[in-house]
Amino acid sequence: MSLVTIKTSHNEIDLLFLKSRLESEGIVCYLKNEYSTQVLNHIQSNEVELQISEADIERVKLILEEEQL
């Protein structure tokens, strides 16, 4: 399975609403670098990445358009 990053943030809390919304639609989501940014939060180059399966990209685009996220 190939993963695609759809949004990044220095703070994982910024991504949790979108992750929850997508999961409510049955889309499996992953937070890449979730723990390293908690430990190394003072380093601005570290970002949490919200990732989905490449197969779900079209569904996610529709959801993002509907929600204007």
Side-chain angles (χ1 to χ4, degrees), residues 10-63:
H10 292 288
N11 187 346
E12 76 175 274
I13 294 170
D14 296 338
L15 304 175
L16 291 178
F17 171 76
L18 178 56
K19 181 179 186 284
S20 176
R21 174 68 174 95
L22 294 175
E23 288 176 338
S24 74
E25 294 288 336
I27 297 170
V28 178
C29 301
Y30 304 94
L31 291 175
K32 181 179 178 183
N33 300 329
E34 175 181 15
Y35 299 111
S36 62
T37 55
Q38 291 174 5
V39 174
L40 303 170
N41 63 357
H42 61 282
I43 300 174
Q44 290 297 315
S45 63
N46 283 346
E47 287 189 316
V48 181
E49 299 178 28
L50 180 59
Q51 297 185 321
I52 59 164
S53 170
E54 192 172 34
D56 292 324
I57 193 73
E58 294 303 318
R59 284 182 58 210
V60 169
K61 284 180 183 178
L62 291 174
I63 293 168

